[in-house]
């Protein structure tokens, strides 16, 4: 059940010193690939980072978040630079990349892997480290790896549906 993976996922900030197997990484990437996108443009490119020295360098670029160094994989989502000129009145690339990476987090969770979104990054620094051209702004970064479960996590609360959802017409 997809809801099981959704409920299982949490932000993993402690990772085992254990690589992610190629076949599991392939499934995580496949989940992203199958994600929907506006007009099916799939307007993104994902940089998969496994090189230890590069991941160490990325720690500074993500605001010094030290736990990132433990992650065996980083997935860096950027715009593909082709634009979104199909009449949409919203920043479709950001939405599409977020959907793709969220698919990735859920596939990862379903296989016992952990992820953490990294929104606190310096896009220029990330681009410099990964040779990403300026036409391809970085939109989202995920850490990926096996959770170190010796560090128990406390589930973060969510607002009740009654606060998040209204029916038929907007009510405050
Ligand atoms: C867009 C986005 C950016 C985030 N950036 C960071 C980050 O830079 N560092 C971090 O440790 N967690 C980050 N998080 C994780 C959130 O803090 C976390 O999802 C939230 O507190 C709910 O906790 P949970 O994921 O464990 O359910 C980010 C999450 C999202 C969706």
């Amino acid at each position: 059940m997809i809801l099981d993976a959704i409920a299982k996922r949490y932000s993993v900030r402690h990772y085992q010193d254990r690589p992610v197997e190629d076949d599991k990484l392939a499934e995580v990437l496949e989940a992203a690939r199958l994600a929907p996108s506006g007009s099916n443009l799939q307007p993104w490119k994902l940089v998969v980072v496994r090189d230890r020295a590069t991941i160490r360098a990325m720690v500074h670029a993500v605001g010094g978040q030290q736990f990132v160094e433990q992650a065996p994989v980083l997935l860096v989502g950027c715009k593909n630079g082709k634009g979104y000129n199909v009449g949409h009145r919203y920043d479709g690339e950001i939405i599409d990349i977020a959907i793709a990476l969220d698919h990735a987090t859920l596939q990862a969770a379903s296989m016992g892997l952990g992820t953490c979104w990294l929104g606190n990054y310096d896009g220029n620094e990330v681009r410099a480290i990964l040779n990403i051209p300026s036409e391809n702004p970085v939109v989202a970064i995920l850490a990926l790896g096996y959770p170190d479960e010796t560090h128990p996590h406390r589930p973060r609360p969510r607002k009740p549906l009654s606060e998040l959802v209204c029916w038929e017409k907007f009510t405050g």
Side-chain angles (χ1 to χ4, degrees):
M1 293 283 284
I2 191 75
L3 200 53
D4 293 335
I6 291 170
K8 210 161 121 189
R9 188 217 57 83
Y10 66 96
S11 293
V12 173
R13 299 186 179 90
H14 299 276
Y15 292 93
Q16 294 177 38
D17 183 12
R18 172 182 172 192
V20 176
E21 299 86 342
D22 287 348
D23 58 330
K24 292 202 173 154
L25 180 54
E27 289 190 44
V28 169
L29 298 176
E30 180 66 356
R33 191 181 74 86
L34 293 175
S37 59
S39 301
N40 201 26
L41 286 177
Q42 305 155 72
W44 47 269
K45 187 100 171 181
L46 212 51
V47 184
V48 181
V49 184
R50 292 189 290 190
D51 178 72
R52 296 305 316 156
T54 309
I55 290 174
R56 268 196 298 280
M58 285 285 288
V59 170
H60 187 267
V62 296
Q65 299 185 76
Q66 287 299 330
F67 74 89
V68 170
E69 192 174 343
Q70 298 172 3
V73 183
L74 297 180
L75 302 179
V76 179
C78 45
K79 298 186 182 185
N80 70 356
K82 300 208 163 92
Y84 211 78
N85 192 17
V86 288
H88 294 294
R89 295 183 196 151
Y90 55 92
D91 192 336
E93 289 133 312
I94 291 178
I95 294 173
D96 294 342
I97 293 169
I99 295 170
L101 284 181
D102 205 57
H103 274 46
T105 68
L106 298 181
Q107 180 59 31
S110 77
M111 297 187 299
L113 286 159
T115 53
C116 189
W117 287 89
L118 301 170
N120 177 19
Y121 60 82
D122 178 329
N124 291 332
E125 196 176 341
V126 173
R127 286 197 301 100
I129 294 167
L130 302 179
N131 290 344
I132 300 172
S134 57
E135 310 83 69
N136 303 83
V138 177
V139 171
I141 305 178
L142 281 185
L144 170 72
Y146 283 98
D148 176 355
E149 280 157 352
T150 62
H151 292 268
H153 92 282
R154 264 170 295 145
R156 301 298 310 278
R158 295 295 193 263
K159 296 174 184 175
L161 262 192
S162 57
E163 207 178 312
L164 298 164
V165 175
C166 49
W167 296 80
E168 314 306 348
K169 301 264 180 177
F170 186 91
T171 50

